[in-house]
Amino acid sequence: MILELDCGNSFIKWRVIHTTDATIVGGGIVDSDQALVEQVAALASAHLSGCRMVSVRSEDETEALCVLLAQAFSVEVQVAQPAQEMSGVRNGYEDYQRLGMDRWLAALGAFHLAKGACLVIDLGTAAKADFVAADGEHLGGYICPGMPLMRSQLRTHTRRIRYDDASAERALTSLAPGRSTVEAVERGCVLMLQGFARTQLEQARSLWGDDFAVFLTGGDAPLVRDAVPQARVVPDLVFVGLAMACPLD
């Protein structure tokens, strides 16, 4: 079995898959290295033969996690690295090493699934969009604050905006004009995300007409699905690219 990891700045998304057919054995999201080890160890059926990882953490933090996993599960961790070209996709950044590895792997995965031009919209802590042409040229993309960052900034810099997560969840049962602060903030942020997604769609149409695929990924993808009804929601798109960048037998 293989342990796959998507290590962000705040959380680690993980899953264990069968080596032969990529069937998912278990997975989840944790907020610390130790919690990761505990949850993976709790999978009674998990006998790991390998581990692959994408990380946007610092080199020291990434290395520390690799050491911890090697000690806990006796596996060597393969960490995805930047590339100028891979699996038919050419990195579009002027300095290819500066493109975030999560974006690069999502682009690889999307192009592999689409077999042609594609738009990737990833909605997590940040909202990101990337464009890959039919010939595999990565044309670049956009980054702006995602739902967690918008919410956090409003709470931090506006004294009267105070509410808990349960209130935020209740506020999103509708997108009608808010009649309380929590409704106004949460619904306003969702509408900004939806506007971001629609704008990316317009960009893609100006490039390719209607001949392209759209992929939605990231934890907040469901919030904009209605705004981009033609999109394919692939929660584990980064893992698709990770398997291409770090093949394990």
Side-chain angles (χ1 to χ4, degrees):
M1 296 183 188
I2 295 171
L3 174 62
E4 297 185 321
L5 302 172
D6 179 1
C7 301
N9 292 306
S10 302
F11 298 99
I12 302 171
K13 185 176 183 180
W14 68 274
R15 70 179 190 180
V16 172
I17 61 172
H18 281 292
T19 310
T20 52
D21 58 5
T23 303
I24 299 173
V25 178
I29 298 175
V30 295
D31 60 2
S32 71
D33 295 359
Q34 193 57 47
L36 170 67
V37 170
E38 291 172 0
Q39 289 198 14
V40 174
L43 277 180
S45 60
H47 301 287
L48 301 179
S49 60
C51 175
R52 54 192 173 210
M53 172 197 302
V54 55
S55 176
V56 298
R57 296 174 162 192
S58 71
E59 290 184 10
D60 288 344
E61 290 173 319
T62 300
E63 177 60 25
L65 178 55
C66 289
V67 170
L68 180 63
L69 292 169
Q71 293 171 343
F73 303 112
S74 300
V75 292
E76 181 179 350
V77 183
Q78 284 196 33
V79 181
Q81 299 297 324
Q84 287 183 304
E85 184 171 353
M86 181 176 289
S87 301
V89 181
R90 296 182 300 282
N91 193 314
Y93 259 32
E94 294 176 359
D95 179 355
Y96 74 93
Q97 297 186 70
R98 300 293 295 175
L99 177 63
M101 285 303 301
D102 52 344
R103 292 174 60 198
W104 174 236
L105 295 185
L108 291 181
F111 187 74
H112 171 74
L113 295 175
K115 303 294 191 293
C118 52
L119 163 64
V120 181
I121 302 174
D122 184 351
L123 301 172
T125 302
K128 295 162 284 189
D130 281 282
F131 300 77
V132 183
D135 65 355
E137 183 73 23
H138 171 239
L139 304 179
Y142 299 94
I143 305 173
C144 71
M147 193 78 176
L149 283 177
M150 288 191 284
R151 180 188 293 126
S152 173
Q153 287 300 299
L154 283 168
R155 286 177 171 176
T156 300
H157 296 288
T158 308
R159 291 184 178 181
R160 292 184 179 273
I161 295 180
R162 296 287 184 273
Y163 54 83
D164 56 27
D165 292 340
S167 299
E169 187 174 345
R170 287 193 299 270
L172 293 179
T173 56
S174 165
L175 289 181
R179 297 175 66 87
S180 65
T181 298
V182 60
E183 289 180 354
V185 169
E186 292 295 312
R187 296 173 188 180
C189 289
V190 169
L191 290 177
M192 289 190 72
L193 278 190
Q194 291 185 349
F196 175 80
R198 290 191 182 100
T199 300
Q200 306 318 307
L201 199 59
E202 291 171 6
Q203 279 277 73
R205 285 182 178 140
S206 71
L207 290 168
W208 305 311
D210 292 322
D211 191 16
F212 65 96
V214 186
F215 294 91
L216 276 178
T217 191
D220 285 327
L223 295 177
V224 305
R225 187 168 189 174
D226 291 344
V228 194
Q230 67 272 60
R232 177 177 173 183
V233 179
V234 185
D236 294 330
L237 188 58
V238 167
F239 287 143
V240 176
L242 179 60
M244 298 161 67
C246 299
L248 294 172
D249 296 329

